[in-house]
Amino acid sequence: GKSIVALLLVASCTPWRDLPASPVPALPGERLAAALERTPPWVSYYGSGRLAQLSRFGLVDIDVERGADNYRAADVARLHGAGAVVISYLNVGAAETFRAYWPGVRRFAVQPHQGYPGEFWMRVERAGYRRVLLEEVAPELVRAGVDGFYLENLDIVQERFATGATVRAVVAFLSALRAAYPNLIIVAQNGLDTLGKRDADGVPVYSLVDAEAKEDPSTTYAGGDYRRVAPAASEATLDRLSMWRDR
């Protein structure tokens, strides 16, 4: 379905325009901030094709995993050639049955993700599941040439079946992903409930990611139409985003 998403930089604390001039920003947060200076700044698109349209954006979030069969390394290279920073969708809290890695993780499925046929919430607290994402899926995306990851379904920690172990597992995954890819961009979608946590070494989660993306802060898409979120709920979400922006 369609969504309205707010994207907030949380680890790139220095405005891009105030950074020293450099032909290639070294830090992932700096590269992300530079990409967002373009007009239009960013887009998430999980279909296929439309490379000409996507090339107009500074930051392009697409689905490069081979099971999706949307984009290949050559497409990523073409977007790079147009000056775009390219990150790929990586589903952490759930998994779709069309994924090339599904046969290796289906045993970790918890229950269907309501409203998304063919997608299941996963037992992220199982090390075997996280290992597949870290050792098989993420490296595949990196080999395709992407500049980082757009992490989906981190809000699994809000589900009724979630426990403290679920929260710790999501934090452990974020910590391991950052350790494996210190120079790549990490965007956490719907991860507000984990930004304030700390990993096993005491490192705060907000320092492990470069941006927080929040779906539907003021408008949601349901039943074939856009609907406004209740003002109080929208204001509370925007207040939380503002708090992390100002840290």
Side-chain angles (χ1 to χ4, degrees):
K2 304 175 183 178
S3 294
I4 303 297
V5 181
L7 182 65
L8 173 77
L9 297 181
V10 294
S12 179
C13 299
T14 305
W16 170 247
R17 60 180 59 88
D18 296 335
L19 292 169
S22 173
V24 180
L27 299 177
E30 294 175 7
R31 296 203 307 277
L32 179 58
L36 296 175
E37 287 289 313
R38 285 183 59 176
T39 303
W42 77 293
V43 63
S44 285
Y45 179 67
Y46 300 139
S48 60
R50 300 194 177 186
L51 289 175
Q53 294 94 323
L54 294 174
S55 296
R56 297 168 44 235
F57 291 85
L59 175 69
V60 178
D61 166 36
I62 54 178
D63 193 342
V64 182
E65 193 271 329
R66 58 191 171 92
D69 198 27
N70 289 341
Y71 298 99
R72 307 291 174 86
D75 301 314
V76 175
R78 179 175 170 183
L79 291 170
H80 281 157
V85 170
V86 183
I87 59 178
S88 180
Y89 177 98
L90 176 56
N91 200 344
V92 178
E96 304 92 337
T97 56
F98 63 77
R99 297 292 174 188
Y101 60 90
W102 173 251
V105 300
R106 64 187 306 166
R107 67 186 184 278
F108 300 117
V110 178
Q111 64 185 45
H113 190 329
Q114 295 298 320
Y116 298 89
E119 184 174 13
F120 292 81
W121 291 110
M122 305 299 286
R123 297 189 185 282
V124 294
E125 62 270 23
R126 298 287 294 275
Y129 172 65
R130 301 196 305 275
R131 190 177 303 117
V132 170
L133 297 183
L134 289 165
E135 298 181 4
E136 297 180 26
V137 184
E140 173 195 327
L141 302 179
V142 173
R143 286 193 296 272
V146 300
D147 301 295
F149 314 98
Y150 190 93
L151 307 182
E152 171 68 301
N153 285 316
L154 296 182
D155 51 353
I156 186 174
V157 300
Q158 300 172 356
E159 292 298 306
R160 290 186 176 182
F161 57 78
T163 65
T166 310
V167 177
R168 290 191 293 274
V170 169
V171 172
F173 175 82
L174 293 171
S175 180
L177 187 68
R178 174 52 77 200
Y181 302 104
N183 297 318
L184 295 189
I185 294 166
I186 298 178
V187 177
Q189 170 142 300
N190 298 331
L192 282 172
D193 288 332
T194 57
L195 288 181
K197 306 296 183 182
R198 293 177 179 270
D199 70 8
D201 296 320
V203 178
V205 168
Y206 71 81
S207 70
L208 300 173
V209 303
D210 301 294
E212 159 70 17
K214 180 67 179 75
E215 281 186 299
D216 305 330
S218 57
T219 306
T220 189
Y221 186 82
D225 198 6
Y226 287 101
R227 300 178 183 177
R228 291 195 63 80
V229 172
S234 178
E235 184 174 341
T237 296
L238 294 175
D239 284 346
R240 293 183 72 189
L241 289 170
S242 296
M243 179 193 73
W244 287 112
R245 178 197 62 199
D246 296 337
R247 286 188 72 108

